[in-house]
């Protein structure tokens, strides 16, 4: 990048060649620069003084010595007084900082405006992205790791992020600690996605093509990457906490482990992707191209669908990773509207009134409050005394854990992470299982109806048959047009939210994840099948693999969630199969029946009621049955 030389002053060459001359012969420009930097009172008065007698010289020397001795004596006196005051104060008070309050800026929101309002490139025509000399451009063969490699690459989840170094069980009574504890895998939906362990979902199989089989098509569903907090929070909420803290900054202070909060500021934006979130989707696109690039030889125009800003940004970052730059013209991109009144299978709650009813859809708060009061009791007892002038609640302590996750995926590291033990992080992870089980998955009465629209769209793609009846969140304007909703592609990619991913898992009737439900709020089940960090972390992804096998007559399908192969035995007719495969026709029949038995109108518009708490439960994600007419 060329930079005007005036901005940085003299070049190294200028300094080397002319420094001696300039130092002895100041130019007019040098004089003007000096005058601009110094106020009139600061102008140096340069005079040459020649001592006339040695007596004056000695007197001046004695004066300098006297000044130095006086200066050193003053320093010594200050040190002695400070020691006496501090020593006396420490014997009378438990904290010498009790009267020093937090910075007035503590808890305030910090915003760095980028990009700038005016363009950094004022002459774009002078800096084109292509100058017509691309050089050699031949490409090689498409990658097909999913078919050819002897092993499947494992995604660890959190490059570029730093985990806390000092939290490892320092508060645990036993003093023992697992040095292999990965905090990033215990943040529920706020975890960066990672490859779940082999067998995590009950099958001893890996995502690569089983022996004698080839993967012939892929339907790929993913969540957006790591984002800033949303503008709403039913419990906790970093933005809500920081505002309360800032409003009371003149009256509180912290010490000990919380001392960093005295000048802590809120550095998180709202809802859009963080830099790490962009990187997640770019990496995901690269990895999918390496695994499934060979599918591009089968067809000419893959399809990517996305609503809302962070989904669109995720889809575009995925596209750059998958196709490379420039990616325009290499695939068909459908940007769907996420707003009230628009049917959208990737944002079904916008047309499902009961999904926005606190009395019907927000069932988790009762359970989350009950659980946090249990697992955070010790943390609250430990941390509350470290904050004077502010009544720290259990909910505030829970927000500290949220801040740990959000700050880490936004700015790379968070001091809040150091405040908790391994067991408390496991408790946090489970709190998010409770939250999503009862609000978005098998324990929610509106989960299945919200996920069924995507299932209907997938059935249309699998059978290459247009949707016959639009009775859910499917969009007739888009779905009935073969241009905007093509049915003959081998690769589809859809971007959505974690709640919709869980809605879809529920609507697919993958009840192996509901084997331990309803989830209790007083302890963590020893072997729980529903873990949000496994199913819906940042950039979570589901592969619906279509397979052709020489050893099996019929085309097959299987589902791989975050590299974990999922059994399909909960679907009517699907056999127990070591690699999780089910005949495609059987899968289609099971999903058609599921769709037929899901009443969108009743689930989303029906006048049904469920009591708060554990007075009513479901493990199918469906509301109370509709009364017979």
């Amino acid at each position: 990048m060329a930079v005007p030389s005036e901005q940085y002053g003299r070049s190294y060459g200028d300094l080397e060649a002319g420094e001696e001359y300039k130092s002895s012969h100041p130019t007019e420009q040098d004089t003007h620069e000096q005058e601009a930097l110094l106020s009139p009172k600061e102008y140096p008065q340069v005079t040459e003084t020649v001592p006339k007698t040695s007596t004056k010289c000695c007197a001046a020397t004695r004066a300098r010595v006297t000044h130095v001795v006086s200066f050193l004596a003053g320093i010594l006196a200050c040190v002695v007084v400070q020691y006496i005051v501090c020593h006396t104060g420490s014997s009378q008070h438990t904290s010498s900082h009790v009267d020093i309050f937090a910075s007035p800026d503590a808890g305030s929101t910090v915003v760095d405006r980028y990009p700038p309002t005016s363009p950094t490139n004022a002459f774009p025509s002078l800096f084109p992205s292509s100058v017509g000399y691309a050089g050699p451009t031949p490409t090689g063969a498409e990658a097909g790791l999913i078919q050819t490699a002897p092993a499947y690459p494992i995604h660890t989840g959190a490059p570029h992020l730093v985990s806390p170094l000092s939290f490892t069980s320092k508060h645990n009574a036993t003093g023992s600690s697992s040095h292999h504890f990965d905090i990033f895998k215990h943040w529920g939906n706020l975890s960066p996605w990672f490859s779940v362990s082999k067998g995590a979902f009950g099958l001893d199989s890996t995502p690569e093509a089983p022996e004698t089989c080839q993967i012939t098509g892929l339907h790929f569903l993913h969540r957006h990457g790591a984002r800033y907090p949303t503008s709403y929070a039913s419990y906790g909420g970093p933005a809500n906490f920081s505002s309360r803290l800032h409003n009371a900054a003149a009256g509180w202070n912290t010490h000990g482990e919380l001392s960093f909060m005295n000048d802590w500021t809120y550095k998180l934006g709202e809802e859009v992707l963080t830099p790490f979130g962009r990187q997640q989707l770019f990496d995901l696109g690269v990895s999918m191209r390496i695994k499934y690039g060979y599918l591009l030889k089968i067809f000419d125009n893959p399809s990517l669908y996305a609503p809302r800003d962070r989904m669109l940004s995720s889809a575009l970052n995925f596209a750059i990773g998958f196709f490379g730059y420039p990616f325009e013209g290499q695939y068909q991109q459908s940007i769907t509207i996420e707003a009230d009144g628009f049917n959208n299978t990737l944002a079904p709650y916008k047309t499902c009134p009961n999904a926005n009813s606190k009395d019907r859809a927000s069932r988790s708060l009762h359970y989350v409050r009950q659980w946090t009061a249990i697992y955070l009791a010790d943390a609250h007892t430990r941390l509350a005394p470290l904050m004077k002038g502010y009544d720290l609640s259990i909910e505030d302590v829970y927000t500290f854990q949220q801040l740990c996750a959000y700050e880490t995926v936004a700015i790379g590291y968070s001091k809040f992470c150091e405040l908790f033990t391994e067991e408390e992080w496991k408790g946090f992870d489970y709190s998010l299982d409770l939250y999503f089980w009862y609000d978005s998955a098998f324990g929610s009465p509106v989960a299945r109806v919200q996920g069924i629209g995507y299932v209907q769209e997938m059935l249309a793609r699998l059978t290459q048959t247009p949707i016959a009846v639009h009775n859910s969140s499917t969009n007739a304007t888009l779905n009935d047009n073969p241009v905007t909703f093509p049915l003959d592609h081998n690769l589809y990619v859809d971007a959505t939210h974690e709640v919709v991913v869980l809605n879809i898992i529920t609507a697919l009737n993958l009840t192996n994840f509901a084997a331990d439900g309803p989830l209790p709020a007083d302890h963590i089940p020893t072997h729980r099948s529903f873990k949000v960090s496994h199913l819906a972390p940042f950039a979570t992804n589901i592969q619906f693999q279509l397979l052709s096998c020489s050893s099996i007559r019929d085309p097959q399908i299987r589902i791989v969630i975050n590299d974990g192969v999922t059994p399909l035995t909960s679907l009517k007719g699907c056999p127990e199969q070591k690699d999780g495969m089910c005949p495609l026709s059987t899968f289609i029949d099971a999903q058609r029946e599921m769709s037929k038995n899901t009443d969108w109108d009743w689930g989303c518009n029906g006048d049904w009621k469920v009591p708060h708490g554990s007075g009513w439960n479901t493990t199918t994600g469906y509301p109370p049955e509709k009364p017979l007419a």
Side-chain angles (χ1 to χ4, degrees), residues 365-543:
L365 188 57
H366 165 82
Y367 299 93
V368 173
R369 285 187 183 277
Q370 183 180 343
W371 174 238
T372 54
I374 295 171
Y375 89 88
L376 284 178
D378 289 345
H380 181 255
T381 300
R382 191 171 66 243
L383 297 175
L386 303 181
M387 196 165 194
K388 303 295 184 182
Y390 184 96
D391 187 13
L392 199 68
S393 67
I394 288 281
E395 186 172 356
D396 292 331
V397 177
Y398 185 71
T399 307
F400 288 176
Q401 292 191 297
Q402 292 178 318
L403 279 164
C404 161
Y406 277 120
E407 285 191 343
T408 301
V409 299
I411 57 180
Y413 180 76
S414 174
K415 286 287 289 183
F416 287 100
C417 299
E418 302 177 9
L419 303 176
F420 302 95
T421 67
E422 293 180 13
E423 291 305 314
E424 288 160 356
W425 281 117
K426 292 175 182 177
F428 178 71
D429 195 38
Y430 186 64
S431 75
L432 292 164
D433 293 345
L434 289 168
Y435 178 83
F436 286 98
W437 170 272
Y438 287 105
D439 274 18
S440 305
F442 298 95
S444 165
V446 290
R448 192 165 115 196
V449 291
Q450 291 186 85
I452 204 66
Y454 181 85
V455 174
Q456 291 171 336
E457 287 184 345
M458 186 167 63
L459 285 172
R461 292 166 171 173
L462 291 174
T463 61
Q464 298 189 13
T465 305
I467 297 173
V469 180
H470 294 279
N471 56 5
S472 66
S473 58
T474 57
N475 188 308
T477 303
L478 296 176
N479 294 147
D480 290 348
N481 187 330
V483 175
T484 54
F485 190 73
L487 300 173
D488 59 347
H489 292 178
N490 289 54
L491 177 61
Y492 297 90
V493 180
D494 294 280
T496 188
H497 303 272
E498 78 272 46
V499 294
V500 184
V501 170
L502 293 172
N503 293 163
I504 292 169
I505 289 173
T506 305
L508 287 166
N509 199 34
L510 300 181
T511 57
N512 55 292
F513 295 118
D516 300 319
L519 299 186
D522 58 353
H523 69 281
I524 302 176
T526 304
H527 302 290
R528 70 187 192 273
S529 55
F530 183 83
K531 294 188 68 172
V532 174
S533 57
H534 286 182
L535 299 176
F538 283 133
T540 190
N541 54 93
I542 304 180
Q543 303 176 35

